[in-house]
Amino acid sequence: RAALFIKESRNDPSFHWVREDFNAGCWSHKDGHGPVKNLDYKGNAITNPQHASMGDYELADYFYVPKGGRVPKFLQAGL
C-alpha cells in the first residue's frame, strides 16, 4: 500500500508518498535525494500514516500497489 500526502499552498503545492514496507507495521518515505527513512518529521517511527507528522503535508488517501507494481490483467479492463 501507499499513502499520498498533499501540501496545499498557492505558492508551492506539492505531494509526498509514504509506502508500506515488507516488514509489517512499518512505513517509509524519501525526501528528494536523501536516504529512505521510516521516521516522520518528528523522528517517530511511521507505524500508521494517519498519525505520522509529515510537516505541512496532510494525508489525502491510501492506494493499493500490486506486487511488482503492475496492475493485473483482469483489472485493466476498467482503466
Side-chain angles (χ1 to χ4, degrees):
R1 293 184 297 169
L4 174 62
F5 286 80
I6 296 176
K7 178 172 75 170
E8 294 187 32
S9 168
R10 285 184 190 209
N11 300 329
D12 186 25
S14 61
F15 60 91
H16 192 74
W17 291 97
V18 177
R19 71 166 193 186
E20 186 175 22
D21 297 331
F22 292 109
N23 51 339
C26 294
W27 293 70
S28 60
H29 66 109
K30 184 175 183 295
D31 290 322
H33 296 289
V36 174
K37 53 188 173 183
N38 63 355
L39 304 176
D40 66 14
Y41 291 155
K42 289 187 177 179
N44 300 312
I46 303 171
T47 56
N48 182 341
Q50 290 179 315
H51 303 294
S53 176
M54 300 306 290
D56 293 335
Y57 293 90
E58 293 185 20
L59 179 62
D61 212 340
Y62 290 93
F63 295 83
Y64 169 73
V65 180
K67 185 176 181 177
R70 297 182 183 163
V71 177
K73 288 187 179 186
F74 71 90
L75 292 175
Q76 291 180 6
L79 297 179

